[in-house]
Amino acid sequence: MSAEAVSFLGNFEELVRQVTLTLATGVEAVSAVIVGYAVLESLWRLAVRRVGGRQNMELLRLRLGHWLALVLELLLAADILKTAVAPTWDDIGKLAAIAGIRTALNYFLDREVREEQRIQAEHAAAPAHPLPQNSG
């Protein structure tokens, strides 16, 4: 391969690395903004609506949980981007650990959100004043 081709490939590889790292940093920044928004939204809803009952508080937690699940997915994507360009075995090991932890967190958060949605749907479907059962 000529010196020009080697130089071009080296420059191109560095450009790809810089673009990828910049993109990963951008994804992390967006994630931080989303977390900030979600917390502010939750505090606003708590203050304005004066959430009192368990059901309303659970709806608030459910909404916050959706935002946090999204952020965990975005942060995992940012970690993958950072490791995508010429990773070392150390980088791959760190990514595996981070991915495992974030995946577990996301799994349990998603499970809790789904359970709360199921409970909310059951409460919504239940009659407000159930009729007494006939016994006999």
Side-chain angles (χ1 to χ4, degrees):
M1 209 183 284
S2 71
E4 278 184 10
V6 170
S7 176
F8 172 76
L9 289 176
N11 290 338
F12 183 71
E13 183 179 339
E14 183 59 30
L15 175 66
V16 169
R17 176 178 290 126
Q18 289 304 316
V19 167
T20 303
L21 291 177
T22 301
L23 185 57
T25 302
V27 171
E28 289 174 334
V30 167
S31 297
V33 169
I34 291 171
V35 169
Y37 171 81
V39 168
L40 290 174
E41 179 192 49
S42 296
L43 291 173
W44 175 259
R45 288 176 185 266
L46 186 64
V48 170
R49 296 190 180 181
R50 296 189 178 133
V51 176
R54 180 192 184 287
Q55 185 176 5
N56 288 335
M57 191 61 120
E58 292 303 320
L59 287 172
L60 191 72
R61 286 184 66 238
L62 188 63
R63 186 160 175 86
L64 181 61
H66 280 291
W67 285 115
L68 295 178
L70 171 65
V71 166
L72 285 171
E73 294 292 335
L74 289 172
L75 290 173
L76 181 58
D79 289 335
I80 291 169
L81 283 170
K82 285 181 185 176
T83 308
V85 182
T88 64
W89 282 109
D90 187 52
D91 293 336
I92 292 170
K94 287 177 185 175
L95 176 64
I98 291 168
I101 291 167
R102 287 194 176 146
T103 300
L105 285 172
N106 202 24
Y107 170 78
F108 289 112
L109 179 62
D110 186 55
R111 192 171 78 176
E112 185 175 340
V113 165
R114 287 179 193 270
E115 178 64 18
E116 192 55 42
Q117 284 176 329
R118 184 188 63 75
I119 290 169
Q120 294 297 327
E122 286 175 2
H123 285 337
H129 301 286
L131 298 173
Q133 296 285 335
N134 288 338
S135 58

